[in-house]
Amino acid sequence: MEISDENFRVWAEKNEVFFDGVFRLAGPDAYAPIYSLISGLLHEGHKQVTFNLTGLEFLNSSGINLLAKLTIEARKMGDLLLVVKGTNQHPWQAKSLPNLKKLHPLLDLRLA
Amino acid sequence: MDGGLPKKPIGLASFRAKFILVVGGAVLFDLLVSGGLALWNVQRLSRDATLEVGQGLEAASQEYIRTYADSTAAQVNLLLKQVHNDVDTLAGVLQAQIDNPVRNSDVGAAIARTSPDSVSLSYDEKGKWSQNAPGSASVVSVWGYLLGQDHQPKPDIERDIQTSAVLDLVAPSLLQHGASKLQMYYIGPRERPIFRTAPYTDQAQTFDRLYPGHNEADFWNFFFPGLYESWQGWAKDAKTRPVADDITQTAPYTDAITGKLIVSFFHPLWTADRQDVAGTAGADITLDQLAETVENVKVAQSGFGFLAMSDGNVVAINSTGEKTLGLRAASGASGTGVTGLERSLKGSSQPAIAQLALDREQGIQHLLLQRDGDEVPYILTVKKLPATNLWSSGPVRQEAMLLGLVVPEREIDASLYAAQAKISEATNRIVIYQIIAILMSLLIVAIAVFAASKRITSGISALAGAAKRIQAQDYSVRVAITSKDEVGAAGEAFNRMAEQISYHTENLEQLVEERTAQIEDQKEEISALNAQLERENRRLGTELAVAERIQLMVLPLQQELEEFQDIEIAAYMRPAEEVGGDYYDVLKNGRRLKIGIGDVTGHGLESGVLMLMVQSVARALQEAGNTDAVKFLANLNSALFKNIVRTKIDKHLTLAFLDYDGKELILSGQHEEVVIIRSNGEIQRIDTMDLGIPIGLEADISAFIKTREIAFEKGDLILLHTDGVTEAENDAGELFGIERLCSEALRLKGQSADKVVSGIVATLMRFIGSQKIYDDITLLAVRHR
């Protein structure tokens, strides 16, 4: 499962979702396929799902909205541990990812 | 297999022709080389065999001729030896009588008594000689000059007539046995040369006819001049004999009695004291006897022998030989003595014969003899017989007769020629068989190659033919797969391709129709899509226009920003190409001032509407006198969240507010960093992450909202911005960033809020250059006067 563009690429390997590149999609509609992809993975029955954002250089506000919604989705599934791997190399991640922790306190945010 | 393929002659350029040429050429080369070698070897074998056989046969032939000559010479010798023996015997008897006179006269008297016919002579008036009457075993002739007046022999003659009658006892038996002799005889000594001969013949009569005048002449001188004297010489000295033998042979002459050519062999008789000649014993043989032996020589078909005297006079030869050697007979012309025969090799009409060296044996000689105008090669060998004493005329001399054998080379070499012909014939036969074998092999190989080539190349030629038919647009063609090799694989591939071509060709029109219909459908679809797109574009355009209008509509008017006494507020907003959702507001309620800045995710009408809602709710809450910043945001979120759920606007926004009552400045809500440039040039950046959470994500966010009081003194400058400022990219992809924003603000801090905003925006725009503006850019400057 993979969604990609000349600037970005999203794919899933088992229970880990990888984000790569620069995401400047226009809005929720444009992000809808990505939402479906990851939402489907969340409901596959894994005990843990990881969002690997270390390759995600930039995510616009609509993309952050996507992550927020997915976090709320995961929070609703009580027994699912959501791990978010980020990096401090990209400033937006340090700025935006803590919000996910606010939305889902049990979320395992790993900023390296 | 190739079905309707027309039979084509094999072109020179065809694969099959090349195959045939290569294989056929190789076989032809091989056959020609092996055949040529075989032929060459056969020819060489033939040549060697011919040479070997030739040499062998020639040697054999020459050996044969030599042997034949030896054997013939031996025969001649034997014949002569026998005659010699007979003469010796006769002479021995007579000599014994002479040596014993008493017994001689007794024997003579006894014979006279018992055979009076042998000693009773009667005078012949006509011939004037006396001779006994027929009926006796021998004839005795007494020549006239030996008779007395009374025609009676003188007494000593009479005694000799009686004693010589002993011949009657010996000669008949000698004539019957031993060599074939014409006659044997006794001739008395010079003083009484009576002539007694056995058997009885008309001896004197014949002499009269052949030798007229002999009756009056001295016998020995008349017939054999010189002979008697020679013998007398021998009596005195035996060493004067030319050959150590008493026998003396005469040259051939015509016999006076029989008229035949004869040779006489004399054995002289000696007086008892051996001091003088006492007559002779003799025997004649016809030349026929010698000639028979010589003429019986038969070498090859026309080979012949000849017997010649040492002077070249040929005494025996057959008529063919005589002709071949070109001999010319000269009849004896002498009136006295025996009549000789002159037929000399030296007088031959054949130069090669005339020049023959007769004095020595030369083994095998090759001669060219004229025959019917042609030169014909002959082989000649000459052999000398043992020497003998010969009287021809005059003194006795030594004579060695020559035996010659003459054979045409062609005949003696006939076997050689036959062998050579056989070899040649065999060679030719082998050559012909070889050539036939080569031709047969070529034929068989040609047929085999032709057949094999058909098998081997038929697949390729079928493919080629089928391909040509495809080229001629006959797509029904298929090739039969007969082999499992590469050709077979090519055939299978060809058939599949042909099938596809056939299918596509046959269905081309249908396909074109289908494709046309598809294109028509697609065209309609595209038209519909185009129309839809056009409508959509129009709608979006309208929507964008509406959104932009909403966005710009709800922004505070310039005069609202300018109506404050102690603070200056300047704002800049530039929507991105597609209108986003940046929000800023300045709400005034009495002395209270609320400055808000936010950023709705996404763009378009929904963002605009959401922003409008935010503005409206904020205004309402402000108007309702809500002074608690936390509650204000919580309520605003609550209202927005519910509206978001209802409108299914899948968006949220960051939102922060500055509350100012003239003294205190309170910051609340989560948004971009707030930058404060103090009048002393100090820069303060305030992170708002802990002051809230995005609006619209959760129903209740009151737990997340915090406030922070910010000192705000005269000269201080507060900058509010959306991420459109810090995340603006230049051509190199660099972001404008918060540091650049701060340094720009610092650079412009002494100036009015308007100048600060316009200065920063100018720098920002230069930074962006021709790069696309991705997001709305909003910048607010709040300056304490």
Side-chain angles (χ1 to χ4, degrees):
Chain A
M1 289 195 298
E2 177 178 320
I3 297 170
S4 63
D5 181 300
E6 55 180 313
N7 296 317
F8 72 87
R9 187 167 161 239
V10 181
W11 74 98
E13 288 180 10
K14 291 183 181 175
N15 61 338
E16 186 163 8
V17 188
F18 294 84
F19 293 73
D20 212 1
V22 175
F23 285 72
R24 289 189 194 278
L25 297 180
D29 293 345
Y31 280 105
I34 298 173
Y35 178 82
S36 300
L37 168 68
I38 300 168
S39 176
L41 182 70
L42 291 176
H43 289 91
E44 273 177 12
H46 299 291
K47 286 188 176 177
Q48 176 183 325
V49 171
T50 304
F51 294 173
N52 190 329
L53 311 178
T54 49
L56 187 55
E57 293 175 32
F58 179 77
L59 190 68
N60 64 4
S61 54
S62 293
I64 291 167
N65 182 36
L66 169 83
L67 286 183
K69 285 194 294 177
L70 288 168
T71 301
I72 293 165
E73 187 91 28
R75 188 186 66 197
K76 289 176 184 168
M77 303 174 62
D79 56 347
L80 178 68
L81 174 61
L82 181 62
V83 179
V84 176
K85 290 181 183 170
T87 173
N88 287 318
Q89 284 181 346
H90 304 308
W92 74 269
Q93 293 194 3
K95 192 174 78 179
S96 303
L97 295 182
N99 276 339
L100 303 180
K101 183 78 176 166
K102 288 178 190 168
L103 291 172
H104 184 10
L106 294 177
L107 182 147
D108 182 3
L109 179 62
R110 300 173 187 172
L111 277 171
Chain B
M1 64 173 266
D2 44 6
L5 271 182
K7 285 273 175 194
K8 274 198 335 181
I10 302 170
L12 273 179
S14 74
F15 176 70
R16 191 176 169 192
K18 286 171 188 160
F19 178 85
I20 290 174
L21 275 178
V22 168
V23 177
V27 171
L28 182 63
F29 177 78
D30 183 46
L31 280 177
L32 287 182
V33 167
S34 60
L37 275 175
L39 290 181
W40 182 72
N41 278 321
V42 166
Q43 294 280 15
R44 209 174 68 159
L45 180 66
S46 163
R47 203 167 54 242
D48 292 350
T50 303
L51 190 67
E52 282 293 322
V53 168
Q55 287 174 346
L57 279 177
E58 191 178 357
S61 299
Q62 295 188 354
E63 187 59 33
Y64 169 70
I65 290 170
R66 269 194 295 272
T67 307
Y68 204 112
D70 288 347
S71 130
T72 308
Q75 280 187 47
V76 171
N77 272 335
L78 185 63
L79 175 63
L80 295 176
K81 195 80 179 170
Q82 284 179 325
V83 176
H84 281 205
N85 286 341
D86 290 343
V87 174
D88 279 342
T89 304
L90 180 61
V93 170
L94 292 173
Q95 187 67 52
Q97 293 299 98
I98 292 167
D99 290 346
N100 194 340
V102 178
R103 192 185 64 186
N104 194 17
S105 89
D106 287 351
V107 169
I111 292 171
R113 245 188 342 268
T114 55
S115 306
D117 292 348
S118 187
V119 295
S120 307
L121 278 60
S122 53
Y123 182 71
D124 186 275
E125 288 291 340
K126 189 180 164 213
K128 297 182 171 56
W129 38 256
S130 280
Q131 189 166 271
N132 61 338
S136 172
S138 61
V139 57
V140 61
S141 306
V142 179
W143 318 112
Y145 74 94
L146 299 177
L147 297 173
Q149 295 296 318
D150 55 351
H151 306 304
Q152 291 301 309
K154 294 170 182 170
D156 55 336
I157 301 291
E158 186 59 42
R159 197 177 57 250
D160 253 19
I161 290 169
Q162 280 198 10
T163 57
S164 68
V166 76
L167 191 79
D168 290 5
L169 298 178
V170 183
S173 60
L174 286 175
L175 283 170
Q176 279 177 12
H177 300 96
S180 170
K181 298 168 287 290
L182 190 62
Q183 52 204 358
M184 297 191 82
Y185 44 84
Y186 163 78
I187 304 173
R190 183 184 292 278
E191 55 275 16
R192 45 180 194 278
I194 64 167
F195 198 166
R196 181 180 285 274
T197 304
Y200 188 93
T201 54
D202 290 336
Q203 183 172 259
Q205 294 89 331
T206 309
F207 273 44
D208 287 350
R209 195 174 65 247
L210 288 177
Y211 307 114
H214 73 93
N215 196 41
E216 305 301 328
D218 176 84
F219 179 87
W220 286 109
N221 282 343
F222 184 88
F223 285 104
F224 305 105
L227 175 60
Y228 202 86
E229 289 75 7
S230 292
W231 287 342
Q232 285 179 319
W234 298 0
K236 289 190 174 69
D237 182 3
K239 289 178 185 168
T240 56
R241 292 177 297 185
V243 173
D245 186 11
D246 284 346
I247 298 226
T248 303
Q249 185 186 330
T250 67
Y253 65 99
T254 307
D255 177 37
I257 302 164
T258 60
K260 292 181 176 177
L261 268 178
I262 60 167
V263 174
S264 297
F265 296 86
F266 294 114
H267 190 296
L269 299 173
W270 313 104
T271 56
D273 59 4
R274 298 292 189 273
Q275 291 303 305
D276 201 358
V277 177
T280 186
D284 292 344
I285 60 168
T286 58
L287 263 186
D288 297 348
Q289 285 176 265
L290 274 178
E292 195 182 347
T293 305
V294 176
E295 287 166 10
N296 276 345
V297 166
K298 190 147 180 79
V299 187
Q301 275 119 39
S302 58
F304 60 90
F306 66 86
L307 191 65
M309 305 306 286
S310 61
D311 62 359
N313 192 26
V314 174
V315 295
I317 192 166
N318 63 20
S319 59
T320 311
E322 188 173 3
K323 194 177 163 196
T324 303
L325 293 185
L327 299 182
R328 288 169 291 207
S331 56
S334 68
T336 58
V338 295
T339 304
L341 173 79
E342 189 59 31
R343 195 168 54 177
S344 177
L345 294 171
K346 290 174 179 164
S348 167
S349 62
Q350 300 275 8
I353 297 298
Q355 289 159 18
L356 269 182
L358 296 172
D359 54 337
R360 56 196 159 91
E361 289 184 24
Q362 289 194 321
I364 298 288
Q365 297 181 64
H366 296 272
L367 301 177
L368 285 174
L369 299 184
Q370 300 287 333
R371 198 167 77 181
D372 302 331
D374 294 329
E375 286 203 325
V376 180
Y378 278 83
I379 289 175
L380 166 76
T381 185
V382 173
K383 185 163 185 62
K384 276 190 173 180
L385 297 181
T388 180
N389 296 312
L390 177 86
W391 174 87
S392 181
S393 156
V396 174
R397 57 186 168 82
Q398 180 178 311
E399 169 69 19
M401 287 200 291
L402 303 172
L403 175 72
L405 284 187
V406 180
V407 188
E409 275 192 39
R410 275 178 198 160
E411 289 177 8
I412 196 68
D413 289 342
S415 57
L416 170 61
Y417 293 142
Q420 287 175 340
K422 283 278 179 195
I423 291 171
S424 175
E425 193 187 327
T427 305
N428 288 341
R429 198 166 54 239
I430 291 170
V431 166
I432 286 168
Y433 285 170
Q434 185 71 27
I435 289 171
I436 288 172
I438 289 173
L439 290 177
M440 287 293 289
S441 304
L442 271 181
L443 185 67
I444 289 165
V445 168
I447 291 169
V449 167
F450 195 75
S453 73
K454 183 162 187 175
R455 270 188 74 82
I456 291 170
T457 62
S458 61
I460 293 169
S461 109
L463 271 176
K468 274 192 179 170
R469 284 176 56 189
I470 290 250
Q471 198 178 28
Q473 299 181 343
D474 174 4
Y475 304 114
S476 64
V477 63
R478 299 287 183 277
V479 290
I481 310 302
T482 55
S483 59
K484 289 183 177 175
D485 54 12
E486 292 87 340
V487 175
E492 274 179 27
F494 179 89
N495 282 346
R496 280 197 297 276
M497 289 192 295
E499 210 164 288
Q500 285 172 6
I501 292 171
S502 169
Y503 174 77
H504 284 298
T505 309
E506 283 163 9
N507 296 297
L508 191 58
E509 285 186 16
Q510 195 187 334
L511 283 172
V512 167
E513 275 175 27
E514 281 175 12
R515 192 58 53 86
T516 308
Q518 275 179 11
I519 290 170
E520 288 284 330
D521 290 350
Q522 283 170 356
K523 200 172 147 192
E524 279 176 25
E525 212 172 306
I526 289 167
S527 297
L529 276 173
N530 274 343
Q532 193 183 336
L533 277 174
E534 208 177 316
R535 281 196 303 277
E536 189 78 5
N537 269 349
R538 240 191 333 265
R539 187 183 66 77
L540 283 174
T542 311
E543 197 176 280
L544 280 176
V546 170
E548 190 174 7
R549 189 124 180 259
I550 290 170
Q551 189 176 29
L552 296 174
M553 247 166 66
V554 298
L555 295 180
L557 300 171
Q558 185 61 33
Q559 61 192 62
E560 288 180 69
L561 301 179
E562 292 171 356
E563 64 189 17
F564 308 104
Q565 293 177 348
D566 52 347
I567 58 173
E568 271 180 80
I569 302 176
Y572 171 85
M573 196 189 80
R574 170 175 175 162
E577 286 180 3
E578 286 181 46
V579 181
D582 275 10
Y583 163 78
Y584 77 89
D585 204 354
V586 178
L587 300 169
K588 192 181 169 208
N589 188 9
R591 286 182 57 82
R592 302 186 68 82
L593 180 66
K594 202 166 184 83
I595 301 169
I597 185 160
D599 186 0
V600 184
T601 61
H603 355 81
L605 185 59
E606 289 184 350
S607 298
V609 168
L610 192 57
M611 197 196 99
L612 179 59
M613 284 194 279
V614 169
Q615 202 274 336
S616 301
V617 171
R619 172 69 84 183
L621 288 172
Q622 172 81 343
E623 291 299 320
N626 197 330
T627 56
D628 182 346
V630 174
K631 211 171 179 184
F632 184 93
L633 262 180
N635 287 344
L636 187 143
N637 176 71
S638 180
L640 259 291
F641 184 80
K642 286 169 182 167
N643 261 7
I644 283 170
V645 171
R646 173 185 284 183
T647 57
K648 295 192 177 72
I649 293 175
D650 187 15
K651 292 179 189 297
H652 68 269
L653 70 152
T654 57
L655 186 60
F657 285 103
L658 284 172
D659 288 87
Y660 186 60
D661 59 0
K663 293 175 187 167
E664 283 186 318
L665 185 70
I666 304 291
L667 173 63
S668 64
Q670 188 190 66
H671 187 65
E672 305 298 324
E673 287 182 31
V674 175
V675 176
I676 302 168
I677 312 294
R678 299 295 174 189
S679 55
N680 61 0
E682 187 189 334
I683 298 173
Q684 189 178 3
R685 286 165 51 182
I686 300 171
D687 184 14
T688 61
M689 286 307 291
D690 294 335
L691 301 182
I693 193 166
I695 305 296
L697 285 173
E698 293 270 43
D700 181 8
I701 62 168
S702 50
F704 303 118
I705 302 166
K706 303 259 182 328
T707 58
R708 176 166 174 172
E709 189 177 341
I710 298 170
F712 191 45
E713 305 297 334
K714 276 189 186 250
D716 290 347
L717 173 69
I718 298 176
L719 282 181
L720 300 177
H721 68 279
T722 57
D723 55 5
V725 175
T726 49
E727 288 168 11
E729 284 181 24
N730 66 3
D731 291 341
E734 290 175 287
L735 300 182
F736 188 70
I738 190 82
E739 280 81 13
R740 259 192 208 91
L741 178 63
C742 292
S743 62
E744 276 300 297
L746 186 61
R747 181 173 67 87
L748 300 163
K749 71 173 177 55
Q751 299 186 28
S752 68
D754 275 345
K755 291 274 175 63
V756 170
V757 168
S758 60
I760 291 172
V761 168
T763 303
L764 178 62
M765 289 305 154
R766 277 200 302 278
F767 178 81
I768 293 170
S770 60
Q771 180 68 325
K772 183 186 175 185
I773 296 172
Y774 292 107
D775 207 353
D776 298 347
I777 294 171
T778 300
L779 182 64
L780 260 78
V782 182
R783 192 170 181 275
H784 201 288
R785 290 186 201 265

